[in-house]
Structures are given as C-alpha cells and as structure tokens.
Amino acid sequence: MQNIEIARLFEELADLLELQGANAFRLRAYRNAARTLASLPEAVSELAESGAKSLQKIPGIGKDLAEKLVAVVETGELPQLEELRQQIPVGVVMMLRIPGIGPKKVAAIFNELGLTTLDQLREAAEMGQIAELKGFGARTATTILEGLDQVEQSAQRVYHADARPVVEQIIRSLQSLESVTQVSAAGSFRRCLETVGDLDVLVTSTDSAQAMDALAQHPLVEKVLARGETKQRVRLSPVFDGIKKLELDLRVVPDESYGAAMQYFTGSKEHNIVIRRRAQELGLKVNEYGVFRDQEYVAGRTEEDVYAALGLPFIAPELRENRREFELASAGTLPELITVDDVLGDLHMHTTATDGQASILEMAEAAKTRGLKYIAITDHSKRVTMANGLDSKRLRAHWKNIEKARSEISGIEILCGIECDILEDATMDLPDDVLAEADWVVAVLHYGLKQPRDQINKRLLTAIRNPHVSAIGHPSGRVIGKRPGADISFNEIFQAAADHGCMMEINAHRSRLDLDDVHAAAAKDFGIPIVVSTDAHSVHGFGELQNGINQARRAGLTRQDVANTRTFNEFQNLIR
Ligand code: DGT
Ligand code: CA
Ligand code: CA
C-alpha cells in the first residue's frame, strides 16, 4: 500500500467520526496524520514491518495511530472505518463540505430526513423540508442552497498542496521505468497556481506504451478515460476529500520536442498566446513539437532553447500568466524569485495555549529542525473564544512561559507575539499597553468579514495606524473555494501600510494563501515588507511554508522583498 492510500483512509475516518460527533482534538490528530503520511518520503508499509514502535518516531504518530497503521499495512483495511462505512453513505460525508453547516446539522439531515446525496439535499431545501427541521429554519435552508452552489463550483478544483504528493508519487513511479528519460509536471500545477483543475504530466520515452501501462496500473489511478498513441487521460481516486477526483493528462513526447511540449503544456493559455504572436513577428512558428522556420526545426529540446529562439530569457513557470513577465523579460529585469531555503523566520504560529497542538518548546524545536533561526509565537486573542483566545492576564503569563522556553533552547530566537483580532467596531481586541509589551503583533480580521467596504477599511486602518501592530495577517480573510475575502480597497490599505511601516503577511496555509499573488505583487510595488508565515497549529504546520513561497514567487517576489529572509538582527530592525 502506498502512503497516499493509507493517508486517505485516515482522512475518511476523520470525516465519518466527525459526523458521529467525535471530539475535535481526535479528528485533527487523524487529519494531521493523514497529511504527514502523504508527504512522508519513506514508505509507511516498510516502516510498519519493523513494528508500531518505529512508526511512533514519525512526528504526530502516537501509540494508537501506530497500531492502527500496522493493522492497515497488514490487512489493507481499517476495521473501524469499514464499520463506519456501513453506517454512513458517501453523500452524507460530502454534506460536511457545505459551508455554513456543521456535522450536527448534517447528522440531523441524514438521521431525520434520510437524505443521502447532495441532489436530494438540494431538492429538500427547495421544497421547504429543511426549513421545517427542528433547529434549522428558512435562513439555514438558504445557507445550504448557497453552500451547495459553492461546493459544486469548487468541487472541480483541488488545493495545489493536496495535489503535490499525488503528482510527486506518480512522477517517481514513471521515472523508475527503463524507457523513460525525463518526467515533469506541466500545466497549472507547474505554475504553482493555488488550485489545480487537472494535472498534466510529460515524459520522454522510447516506449510510450510502457509509460501508459505503468500509469494505468498505478494504485492512485482509478480509471483510464482515454488512450491514444502519445496521450492518455486517467481519473485518479479521490484525495483528501470525498468529492474531488482529479484527472491527469499524460503526454509522451520525443526528446527533441520535450522543451517545446513543456512550454506549450505549462501554459498559461494567456502566456502562450503572446508567445505565438511573438514567434509570428519573428517569422517563426511555435507549437508543442518545437520552434520552426517554414518547415525547418529551429529549437525544442529544452524550454531555455524555445525562449531563446524567441529572443527571450527563460521565464519561471510561476510568472507565466501574461501579467508583467514579457515586459520584464524584454527589459532584462525578471526578478530572481525567492526560494524556500531563503526563509530564516516564521512569524505566525499557535501553541496549546490556544488552539495549537504543541508546546512552545516543541514548536521551537520543530522550527529549528527545519533550519529556521527565529519564530514568533502568536496565539489567539480573547475574541476567538472557540480557540480559547488569551486575555491580557493569560497573555502575559504565556509570554513568561515563552521567556522560560528561550532559556531552554539555543540556536533559535523566540519572539513574544500575539495574533490580535481587529474587532467589528474597529478597535483592537487587547489594550495598547499590552500590545506595547509584545515583540511582534499580527493583527487580523476573523469576524464580520461581510461588513461593508468602509467599515472593513476602517478596521484595517485602525490596526495599521496602531504603532504596536507589526503586520496584518491573512489580510482578506478568504478561504479558497469556501469563503470570499472581505471587501477591501487595497490601494488605500497598502498606502497606509507603506506610510506607517506595517508589514503584510502571505499566510502560507494551503487554503488561505492570503495575500494572493496579485495583491502581494501590488504590496511589493508599494514597497511594503512582506512576511511569509505558516500559521502552524502543530509541528507539521511548518510544511505549509512551501505554499506561501509558491505564492510569493507567483507575485514576482525576491529574497529582498520578503522580510523573514533577513537575519534575526536585521529583521528586528525592520519591526517598527
Ligand atoms: P487547470 O488544469 O484548469 O488548473 O489549468 P491548466 O493551465 O493546467 O490548463 P489545462 O490543463 O487545460 O492545459 C494545460 C496547458 O496546456 C495550458 O495551460 C495551456 C495548454 N493548452 C491546453 N489546451 C490548449 C489549447 O487548446 N490551446 C493552447 N494553445 N494551449 C492549450
Ligand atoms: Ca491542468
Ligand atoms: Ca489538462
């Protein structure tokens, strides 16, 4: 069994347990374990052979999970899951994805109305049956109908970070084939778009049938949808989410066309329209086989060759959206994009003091292991009651604990921080004298995101003008595919941030990526230092950094543009 298959079982188990009202801590443990397993370089099945003890060395895998894993590897099944599957239909699990209704309501819909699919739910909502359910009402029915529209729209796309382990695993297995020389992802995945509609993979091979056979037999492939001489489309089994079944296009190309095919199938369509026009102006033709002058092949073996034939430097895939890349390429001023190794600090994370799962010291140790030199502990402020947010007194005690942790670890600096809510009435959730004592304050909107633009702006400006606020965290508050961001006049906000020396965050969580690519590029134009932070809620959360860096790259950010690439001393000087 592959890691991803095992991960999927635990993800499904968490979903089903959620419907039974299991506690949030246990659910999160299963979901985190699923993510960890999916991206683990070693094969779980091999580790399991040496027993549960060796599995417990994986961070986040305790005794209970380790024993379950051994059973899964030995039998291919998770008995507890099999039992739950008998009781709860797949369609009911899908209802959990509807924004605005939680497991309790879904359980009521299933138990009291016996509805088992999204279509049945829509019909019942339209017929007024949902509104009549105890504890529901007309408003909930409307929320459900709106939520169903959103689910159906977003069901088509998958977070880049969820697709990554799948792509990597398929690429690895194609690479291991005798006949295959080069393999790469293309399409939106390679451009590191925040979500992907389908996956595109290219190989060069002396035996295209072998590559296609291998893909068809891959454990993650559910069905072959179409197969030709050089092209195959398959449907993958669902990953991390009962609804989404990604499809994947495999194309087998000859060596001399590999670069041209990479360029063509990486897109974007908008970027490639300009490429073709540019070729025409030079009396050339460019397609997925190469660059041609009349019938004569000019280039195509590498992407660099293709761009060079058009008089252009190589353009990083993340920039290929026909935004500014051609202008910059022509001027010779393409940015040298930031990489994940450039990052030295992480300025947004949680501990068990609020809704995190690890202690201050555990978070610091994990950050240090990942090569970070400094972190800020930013637990929630009191408004976030759901997460056991901190009032002034608890926060001060928490900071004392942080100071204690500092003396227990070397090689990493820990800032006393806070993620402070900006309240609906445009005041801060904690008094100024407390904020003044912090080393680092991330101000955020959590509630009232649907307020009118004027009020949202007023709230953000309150925070930006507060001299103790260091940065605005996840500025828009969006959750990709689930919740739109607040209505913000970004120009006004960015201007104020630039004037007051307030930083802007790219929150690296796969579902946030907030600022997005376009706004992060705009913030850079205003000269605002940007921090890319993970918002880690456990030691695994640091793995989200790559997503934030991808978004920063799409925004054209360099190492200089991102504040937390600075050394600790330089960074401290940047904090106002
Ligand atoms: P996605 O899958 O919706 O996340 O976005 P992409 O960009 O991966 O789009 P996809 O999978 O339809 O196609 C991959 C790339 O192949 C696309 O970025 C450009 C290229 N491509 C696909 N179809 C066409 C086409 O009909 N004409 C041209 N010129 N290029 C195409
Ligand atoms: Ca695609
Ligand atoms: Ca495609």
Side-chain angles (χ1 to χ4, degrees):
M1 253 180 137
Q2 307 256 359
N3 289 3
I4 290 176
E5 295 172 275
I6 300 172
R8 214 162 51 220
L9 295 179
F10 283 92
E11 187 74 15
E12 191 182 343
L13 181 62
D15 285 342
L16 293 171
L17 286 170
E18 188 173 7
L19 282 168
Q20 294 202 321
N23 82 49
F25 185 77
R26 197 159 146 228
L27 299 178
R28 200 154 334 132
Y30 286 143
R31 294 207 165 105
N32 280 334
R35 292 232 145 102
T36 305
L37 295 176
S39 51
L40 204 68
E42 306 91 17
V44 173
S45 53
E46 277 169 35
L47 290 175
E49 276 168 24
S50 27
K53 276 259 149 51
S54 66
L55 287 167
Q56 283 182 56
K57 293 200 186 100
I58 307 170
I61 306 292
K63 187 157 170 285
D64 164 63
L65 268 167
E67 281 166 5
K68 283 195 166 67
L69 279 171
V70 172
V72 168
V73 171
E74 278 173 3
T75 66
E77 288 182 358
L78 195 57
Q80 191 187 3
L81 176 63
E82 298 301 319
E83 219 168 277
L84 286 166
R85 276 179 181 163
Q86 303 295 316
Q87 297 165 23
I88 305 172
V90 178
V92 179
V93 178
M94 289 185 191
M95 292 179 199
L96 283 176
R97 319 281 178 223
I98 303 170
I101 60 167
K104 279 212 185 81
K105 287 216 159 63
V106 172
I109 289 165
F110 173 52
N111 293 328
E112 288 170 38
L113 296 178
L115 306 179
T116 58
T117 68
L118 296 184
D119 286 341
Q120 288 172 3
L121 176 60
R122 181 183 288 281
E123 206 184 314
E126 282 166 351
M127 304 287 286
Q129 276 172 284
I130 298 292
E132 281 163 23
L133 263 183
K134 194 161 156 268
F136 279 62
R139 215 163 129 199
T140 308
T142 310
T143 305
I144 289 177
L145 283 172
E146 284 169 4
L148 278 168
D149 289 342
Q150 270 192 51
V151 167
E152 275 155 23
Q153 277 162 24
S154 70
Q156 313 312 321
R157 303 192 68 86
V158 169
Y159 294 144
H160 187 277
D162 284 345
R164 192 187 304 136
V166 178
V167 176
E168 283 171 357
Q169 202 165 310
I170 288 175
I171 286 182
R172 264 202 303 276
S173 77
L174 290 171
Q175 244 157 7
S176 70
L177 298 174
E178 189 91 21
S179 65
V180 167
T181 43
Q182 304 181 83
V183 191
S184 170
S188 53
F189 181 83
R190 183 163 177 247
R191 301 199 311 280
C192 295
L193 201 61
E194 56 206 27
T195 62
V196 295
D198 75 359
L199 298 173
D200 304 276
V201 173
L202 293 180
V203 304
T204 56
S205 171
T206 50
D207 181 355
S208 64
Q210 189 190 40
M212 291 190 205
D213 288 344
L215 180 65
Q217 283 152 22
H218 195 281
L220 292 177
V221 171
E222 194 176 87
K223 191 165 188 249
V224 175
L225 300 171
R227 179 167 172 163
E229 282 290 298
T230 59
K231 190 181 156 178
Q232 177 170 253
R233 187 167 178 84
V234 300
R235 186 167 69 217
L236 305 177
S237 35
V239 181
F240 292 128
D241 190 321
I243 323 176
K244 293 170 189 170
K245 293 187 176 179
L246 270 178
E247 294 181 1
L248 180 147
D249 286 322
L250 175 72
R251 289 183 182 82
V252 187
V253 302
D255 272 325
E256 66 272 17
S257 297
Y258 185 64
M262 285 277 278
Q263 199 292 316
Y264 184 94
F265 291 112
T266 294
S268 67
K269 283 199 177 92
E270 292 72 18
H271 177 89
N272 285 355
I273 287 169
V274 179
I275 288 288
R276 281 197 299 273
R277 196 172 61 218
R278 203 181 162 96
Q280 257 172 11
E281 284 163 9
L282 296 169
L284 299 168
K285 202 179 142 219
V286 48
N287 58 29
E288 63 265 52
Y289 304 106
V291 182
F292 299 88
R293 185 180 301 281
D294 301 321
Q295 303 302 320
E296 185 205 347
Y297 169 94
V298 179
R301 195 167 284 274
T302 70
E303 269 189 326
E304 281 82 354
D305 294 348
V306 172
Y307 281 99
L310 305 177
L312 291 167
F314 178 79
I315 298 175
E318 293 91 334
L319 297 178
R320 299 183 195 170
E321 300 291 346
N322 191 23
R323 290 183 184 146
R324 255 186 273 181
E325 70 271 26
F326 289 106
E327 183 197 320
L328 295 171
S330 300
T333 53
L334 279 171
E336 191 178 318
L337 300 179
I338 181 174
T339 69
V340 79
D341 294 333
D342 292 331
V343 174
L344 299 181
D346 188 346
L347 286 304
H348 190 155
M349 69 191 63
H350 298 265
T351 70
T352 47
T354 60
D355 60 348
Q357 285 169 46
S359 68
I360 300 163
L361 208 51
E362 284 166 340
M363 292 302 276
E365 292 282 3
K368 186 179 155 182
T369 305
R370 286 183 175 264
L372 296 180
K373 302 293 181 206
Y374 54 97
I375 58 173
I377 302 287
T378 55
D379 275 298
H380 287 290
S381 63
K382 64 181 192 297
R383 174 68 172 87
V384 192
T385 45
M386 251 172 48
N388 191 24
L390 304 167
D391 60 17
S392 303
K393 189 161 166 245
R394 284 181 58 218
L395 178 56
R396 283 183 168 127
H398 187 41
W399 284 340
K400 281 256 163 6
N401 290 332
I402 293 174
E403 280 163 23
K404 184 161 162 281
R406 280 177 185 160
S407 66
E408 289 164 8
I409 184 168
S410 62
I412 187 159
E413 306 287 344
I414 315 175
L415 294 176
C416 291
I418 178 74
E419 176 176 10
C420 184
D421 261 62
I422 312 167
L423 303 179
E424 290 95 318
D425 65 357
T427 60
M428 299 298 287
D429 193 20
L430 291 167
D432 270 356
D433 63 319
V434 177
L435 296 182
E437 290 168 25
D439 299 324
W440 173 257
V441 176
V442 191
V444 296
L445 304 171
H446 277 131
Y447 299 94
L449 288 173
K450 288 185 185 160
Q451 285 180 334
R453 173 180 276 229
D454 282 352
Q455 184 61 18
I456 295 283
N457 283 346
K458 193 173 162 206
R459 292 167 73 187
L460 290 170
L461 289 175
T462 298
I464 289 168
R465 289 176 182 149
N466 184 312
H468 311 302
V469 170
S470 323
I472 305 292
H474 46 70
S476 86
R478 72 158 175 177
V479 179
I480 299 170
K482 298 205 167 76
R483 178 176 86 201
D487 186 6
I488 299 172
S489 43
F490 278 98
N491 278 346
E492 193 184 335
I493 295 307
F494 287 161
Q495 187 59 58
D499 292 346
H500 288 84
C502 180
M503 301 188 199
M504 287 282 155
E505 176 183 270
I506 294 179
N507 188 293
H509 193 275
R510 66 190 68 200
S511 70
R512 286 195 181 268
L513 295 172
D514 180 12
L515 300 171
D516 67 15
D517 47 2
V518 172
H519 290 118
K524 168 180 167 155
D525 287 344
F526 277 90
I528 301 168
I530 292 163
V531 273
V532 183
S533 292
T534 62
D535 204 350
H537 282 68
S538 73
V539 295
H540 313 293
F542 294 111
E544 297 295 285
L545 184 61
Q546 182 68 57
N547 311 325
I549 294 303
N550 289 345
Q551 195 76 317
R553 289 171 64 87
R554 288 180 53 81
L557 303 192
T558 65
R559 191 171 160 263
Q560 274 67 39
D561 299 321
V562 175
N564 49 321
T565 62
R566 304 278 200 280
T567 63
F568 182 60
N569 283 339
E570 287 168 348
F571 184 79
Q572 273 194 310
N573 290 334
L574 270 184
I575 306 177
R576 58 178 172 168

PDB file of all heavy atoms in Angstrom, residues 202-219:
ATOM      1  N   LEU A 202       4.318  15.243 -18.422  1.00  0.00           N
ATOM      2  CA  LEU A 202       5.012  14.962 -19.683  1.00  0.00           C
ATOM      3  C   LEU A 202       6.142  13.975 -19.443  1.00  0.00           C
ATOM      4  O   LEU A 202       6.838  14.081 -18.432  1.00  0.00           O
ATOM      5  CB  LEU A 202       5.643  16.231 -20.220  1.00  0.00           C
ATOM      6  CG  LEU A 202       4.729  17.345 -20.682  1.00  0.00           C
ATOM      7  CD1 LEU A 202       5.571  18.508 -21.174  1.00  0.00           C
ATOM      8  CD2 LEU A 202       3.828  16.848 -21.796  1.00  0.00           C
ATOM      9  N   VAL A 203       6.334  13.048 -20.360  1.00  0.00           N
ATOM     10  CA  VAL A 203       7.517  12.197 -20.283  1.00  0.00           C
ATOM     11  C   VAL A 203       8.169  12.091 -21.657  1.00  0.00           C
ATOM     12  O   VAL A 203       7.500  12.226 -22.687  1.00  0.00           O
ATOM     13  CB  VAL A 203       7.205  10.748 -19.783  1.00  0.00           C
ATOM     14  CG1 VAL A 203       6.506  10.771 -18.447  1.00  0.00           C
ATOM     15  CG2 VAL A 203       6.376   9.981 -20.797  1.00  0.00           C
ATOM     16  N   THR A 204       9.464  11.868 -21.665  1.00  0.00           N
ATOM     17  CA  THR A 204      10.113  11.445 -22.899  1.00  0.00           C
ATOM     18  C   THR A 204      10.452   9.965 -22.705  1.00  0.00           C
ATOM     19  O   THR A 204      10.913   9.564 -21.641  1.00  0.00           O
ATOM     20  CB  THR A 204      11.412  12.224 -23.182  1.00  0.00           C
ATOM     21  OG1 THR A 204      12.277  12.078 -22.058  1.00  0.00           O
ATOM     22  CG2 THR A 204      11.142  13.687 -23.401  1.00  0.00           C
ATOM     23  N   SER A 205      10.163   9.192 -23.734  1.00  0.00           N
ATOM     24  CA  SER A 205      10.317   7.756 -23.573  1.00  0.00           C
ATOM     25  C   SER A 205      10.548   7.108 -24.932  1.00  0.00           C
ATOM     26  O   SER A 205      10.061   7.584 -25.956  1.00  0.00           O
ATOM     27  CB  SER A 205       9.053   7.177 -22.949  1.00  0.00           C
ATOM     28  OG  SER A 205       9.099   5.772 -22.966  1.00  0.00           O
ATOM     29  N   THR A 206      11.295   6.016 -24.912  1.00  0.00           N
ATOM     30  CA  THR A 206      11.500   5.249 -26.135  1.00  0.00           C
ATOM     31  C   THR A 206      10.354   4.259 -26.332  1.00  0.00           C
ATOM     32  O   THR A 206      10.258   3.603 -27.354  1.00  0.00           O
ATOM     33  CB  THR A 206      12.819   4.458 -26.043  1.00  0.00           C
ATOM     34  OG1 THR A 206      12.811   3.755 -24.778  1.00  0.00           O
ATOM     35  CG2 THR A 206      14.012   5.386 -26.109  1.00  0.00           C
ATOM     36  N   ASP A 207       9.471   4.161 -25.331  1.00  0.00           N
ATOM     37  CA  ASP A 207       8.423   3.149 -25.368  1.00  0.00           C
ATOM     38  C   ASP A 207       7.174   3.738 -24.701  1.00  0.00           C
ATOM     39  O   ASP A 207       6.960   3.575 -23.503  1.00  0.00           O
ATOM     40  CB  ASP A 207       8.927   1.904 -24.607  1.00  0.00           C
ATOM     41  CG  ASP A 207       7.899   0.768 -24.622  1.00  0.00           C
ATOM     42  OD1 ASP A 207       6.773   0.973 -25.136  1.00  0.00           O
ATOM     43  OD2 ASP A 207       8.249  -0.318 -24.115  1.00  0.00           O
ATOM     44  N   SER A 208       6.360   4.443 -25.492  1.00  0.00           N
ATOM     45  CA  SER A 208       5.249   5.172 -24.883  1.00  0.00           C
ATOM     46  C   SER A 208       4.226   4.213 -24.258  1.00  0.00           C
ATOM     47  O   SER A 208       3.581   4.544 -23.274  1.00  0.00           O
ATOM     48  CB  SER A 208       4.581   6.104 -25.894  1.00  0.00           C
ATOM     49  OG  SER A 208       4.000   5.358 -26.928  1.00  0.00           O
ATOM     50  N   ALA A 209       4.116   3.005 -24.819  1.00  0.00           N
ATOM     51  CA  ALA A 209       3.160   2.043 -24.264  1.00  0.00           C
ATOM     52  C   ALA A 209       3.533   1.667 -22.839  1.00  0.00           C
ATOM     53  O   ALA A 209       2.670   1.528 -21.973  1.00  0.00           O
ATOM     54  CB  ALA A 209       3.089   0.793 -25.144  1.00  0.00           C
ATOM     55  N   GLN A 210       4.846   1.545 -22.595  1.00  0.00           N
ATOM     56  CA  GLN A 210       5.275   1.173 -21.239  1.00  0.00           C
ATOM     57  C   GLN A 210       4.881   2.251 -20.219  1.00  0.00           C
ATOM     58  O   GLN A 210       4.373   1.942 -19.142  1.00  0.00           O
ATOM     59  CB  GLN A 210       6.800   0.956 -21.191  1.00  0.00           C
ATOM     60  CG  GLN A 210       7.234   0.355 -19.863  1.00  0.00           C
ATOM     61  CD  GLN A 210       8.747   0.345 -19.658  1.00  0.00           C
ATOM     62  OE1 GLN A 210       9.451   1.285 -20.005  1.00  0.00           O
ATOM     63  NE2 GLN A 210       9.236  -0.734 -19.075  1.00  0.00           N
ATOM     64  N   ALA A 211       5.070   3.509 -20.606  1.00  0.00           N
ATOM     65  CA  ALA A 211       4.713   4.603 -19.702  1.00  0.00           C
ATOM     66  C   ALA A 211       3.204   4.606 -19.440  1.00  0.00           C
ATOM     67  O   ALA A 211       2.755   4.753 -18.305  1.00  0.00           O
ATOM     68  CB  ALA A 211       5.156   5.936 -20.297  1.00  0.00           C
ATOM     69  N   MET A 212       2.436   4.408 -20.486  1.00  0.00           N
ATOM     70  CA  MET A 212       0.979   4.442 -20.324  1.00  0.00           C
ATOM     71  C   MET A 212       0.473   3.249 -19.527  1.00  0.00           C
ATOM     72  O   MET A 212      -0.437   3.385 -18.706  1.00  0.00           O
ATOM     73  CB  MET A 212       0.301   4.490 -21.689  1.00  0.00           C
ATOM     74  CG  MET A 212       0.535   5.825 -22.382  1.00  0.00           C
ATOM     75  SD  MET A 212      -0.491   5.968 -23.827  1.00  0.00           S
ATOM     76  CE  MET A 212       0.479   7.128 -24.758  1.00  0.00           C
ATOM     77  N   ASP A 213       1.053   2.093 -19.778  1.00  0.00           N
ATOM     78  CA  ASP A 213       0.666   0.904 -19.000  1.00  0.00           C
ATOM     79  C   ASP A 213       0.957   1.119 -17.516  1.00  0.00           C
ATOM     80  O   ASP A 213       0.139   0.809 -16.656  1.00  0.00           O
ATOM     81  CB  ASP A 213       1.425  -0.339 -19.468  1.00  0.00           C
ATOM     82  CG  ASP A 213       0.933  -0.818 -20.837  1.00  0.00           C
ATOM     83  OD1 ASP A 213      -0.174  -0.373 -21.243  1.00  0.00           O
ATOM     84  OD2 ASP A 213       1.649  -1.595 -21.482  1.00  0.00           O
ATOM     85  N   ALA A 214       2.136   1.675 -17.259  1.00  0.00           N
ATOM     86  CA  ALA A 214       2.526   1.884 -15.869  1.00  0.00           C
ATOM     87  C   ALA A 214       1.567   2.847 -15.186  1.00  0.00           C
ATOM     88  O   ALA A 214       1.156   2.635 -14.041  1.00  0.00           O
ATOM     89  CB  ALA A 214       3.959   2.431 -15.796  1.00  0.00           C
ATOM     90  N   LEU A 215       1.175   3.896 -15.883  1.00  0.00           N
ATOM     91  CA  LEU A 215       0.242   4.851 -15.291  1.00  0.00           C
ATOM     92  C   LEU A 215      -1.116   4.179 -15.049  1.00  0.00           C
ATOM     93  O   LEU A 215      -1.715   4.323 -13.985  1.00  0.00           O
ATOM     94  CB  LEU A 215       0.075   6.081 -16.194  1.00  0.00           C
ATOM     95  CG  LEU A 215      -0.892   7.141 -15.649  1.00  0.00           C
ATOM     96  CD1 LEU A 215      -0.366   7.751 -14.353  1.00  0.00           C
ATOM     97  CD2 LEU A 215      -1.140   8.246 -16.678  1.00  0.00           C
ATOM     98  N   ALA A 216      -1.559   3.419 -16.040  1.00  0.00           N
ATOM     99  CA  ALA A 216      -2.866   2.752 -15.910  1.00  0.00           C
ATOM    100  C   ALA A 216      -2.903   1.840 -14.690  1.00  0.00           C
ATOM    101  O   ALA A 216      -3.942   1.692 -14.046  1.00  0.00           O
ATOM    102  CB  ALA A 216      -3.171   1.961 -17.180  1.00  0.00           C
ATOM    103  N   GLN A 217      -1.758   1.247 -14.382  1.00  0.00           N
ATOM    104  CA  GLN A 217      -1.723   0.304 -13.262  1.00  0.00           C
ATOM    105  C   GLN A 217      -1.347   0.954 -11.929  1.00  0.00           C
ATOM    106  O   GLN A 217      -1.298   0.284 -10.904  1.00  0.00           O
ATOM    107  CB  GLN A 217      -0.711  -0.809 -13.571  1.00  0.00           C
ATOM    108  CG  GLN A 217      -1.279  -1.815 -14.566  1.00  0.00           C
ATOM    109  CD  GLN A 217      -0.186  -2.485 -15.384  1.00  0.00           C
ATOM    110  OE1 GLN A 217       0.970  -2.524 -14.959  1.00  0.00           O
ATOM    111  NE2 GLN A 217      -0.555  -2.990 -16.550  1.00  0.00           N
ATOM    112  N   HIS A 218      -1.082   2.241 -11.974  1.00  0.00           N
ATOM    113  CA  HIS A 218      -0.677   2.911 -10.733  1.00  0.00           C
ATOM    114  C   HIS A 218      -1.808   2.850  -9.713  1.00  0.00           C
ATOM    115  O   HIS A 218      -2.968   3.055 -10.055  1.00  0.00           O
ATOM    116  CB  HIS A 218      -0.303   4.365 -11.027  1.00  0.00           C
ATOM    117  CG  HIS A 218       0.440   5.017  -9.908  1.00  0.00           C
ATOM    118  ND1 HIS A 218      -0.199   5.493  -8.790  1.00  0.00           N
ATOM    119  CD2 HIS A 218       1.760   5.250  -9.716  1.00  0.00           C
ATOM    120  CE1 HIS A 218       0.705   5.998  -7.962  1.00  0.00           C
ATOM    121  NE2 HIS A 218       1.900   5.858  -8.507  1.00  0.00           N
ATOM    122  N   PRO A 219      -1.459   2.561  -8.438  1.00  0.00           N
ATOM    123  CA  PRO A 219      -2.514   2.424  -7.423  1.00  0.00           C
ATOM    124  C   PRO A 219      -3.385   3.665  -7.230  1.00  0.00           C
ATOM    125  O   PRO A 219      -4.497   3.552  -6.746  1.00  0.00           O
ATOM    126  CB  PRO A 219      -1.744   2.104  -6.135  1.00  0.00           C
ATOM    127  CG  PRO A 219      -0.317   2.278  -6.442  1.00  0.00           C
ATOM    128  CD  PRO A 219      -0.144   2.213  -7.908  1.00  0.00           C
TER     129      PRO A 219
END
